């Protein structure tokens, strides 16, 4: 019932910044939690950040102090501001919306060069 569209990925040098966006459409009133995940080449998927109406934002340890998750409810959009990027941040980043189930976007690729 929820469709997600990520954007904002690209190629950036180490130490640079990117801002990922995820726009939701469909029955968005049922969304309780939004999250970002990433999957590096040849690696298992990894949770990155979560935001909800009931709790404070949460981050994986490697993202703390560098990444910020936020929302713009008027635009039905969740963001991931990524600062001080490192080569190990290279991955495809996926947006997730949680209702009674989890819906996923198609991903946006982030490549960080050293």
């Amino acid at each position: 019932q929820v469709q997600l569209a990520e954007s904002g990925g690209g190629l950036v040098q180490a130490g640079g910044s990117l801002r990922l966006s995820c726009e939701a459409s469909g029955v968005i009133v049922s969304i309780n939690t939004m999250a970002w995940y990433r999957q590096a080449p040849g690696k298992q998927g990894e949770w990155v950040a979560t935001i909800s109406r009931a709790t404070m934002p949460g981050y994986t340890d490697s993202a703390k102090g560098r990444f910020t998750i936020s929302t713009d409810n008027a635009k039905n959009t969740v963001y991931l501001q990524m600062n001080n990027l490192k080569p190990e941040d290279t991955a495809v980043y996926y947006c997730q919306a949680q209702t009674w189930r989890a819906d996923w976007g198609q991903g946006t690729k982030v490549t960080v060069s050293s």
Side-chain angles (χ1 to χ4, degrees):
Q1 291 184 324
V2 177
Q3 295 80 47
L4 304 172
E6 301 102 328
S7 62
L11 176 64
V12 64
Q13 289 185 310
S17 298
L18 286 173
R19 189 191 193 194
L20 306 183
S21 299
C22 174
E23 185 175 359
S25 60
V27 190
I28 60 175
V29 294
S30 62
I31 298 175
N32 295 314
T33 301
M34 300 290 292
W36 287 95
Y37 290 76
R38 66 187 178 188
Q39 186 169 28
K43 302 294 184 179
Q44 190 178 39
E46 175 189 23
W47 168 73
V48 177
T50 300
I51 190 168
S52 72
R53 65 187 181 187
T55 63
M56 296 183 64
Y59 303 90
T60 191
D61 185 65
S62 64
K64 292 179 180 178
R66 300 190 299 123
F67 293 5
T68 302
I69 187 170
S70 63
T71 60
D72 185 339
N73 292 334
K75 297 181 179 180
N76 301 321
T77 300
V78 61
Y79 303 97
L80 185 67
Q81 178 67 45
M82 307 164 64
N83 298 326
N84 191 24
L85 284 162
K86 303 175 180 180
E88 53 262 41
D89 295 317
T90 295
V92 177
Y93 284 71
Y94 297 92
C95 179
Q96 180 200 64
Q98 294 182 359
T99 55
W100 62 276
R101 68 176 193 180
D103 292 307
W104 296 85
Q106 293 184 335
T108 184
K109 186 178 181 180
V110 172
T111 302
V112 184
S113 61
S114 59

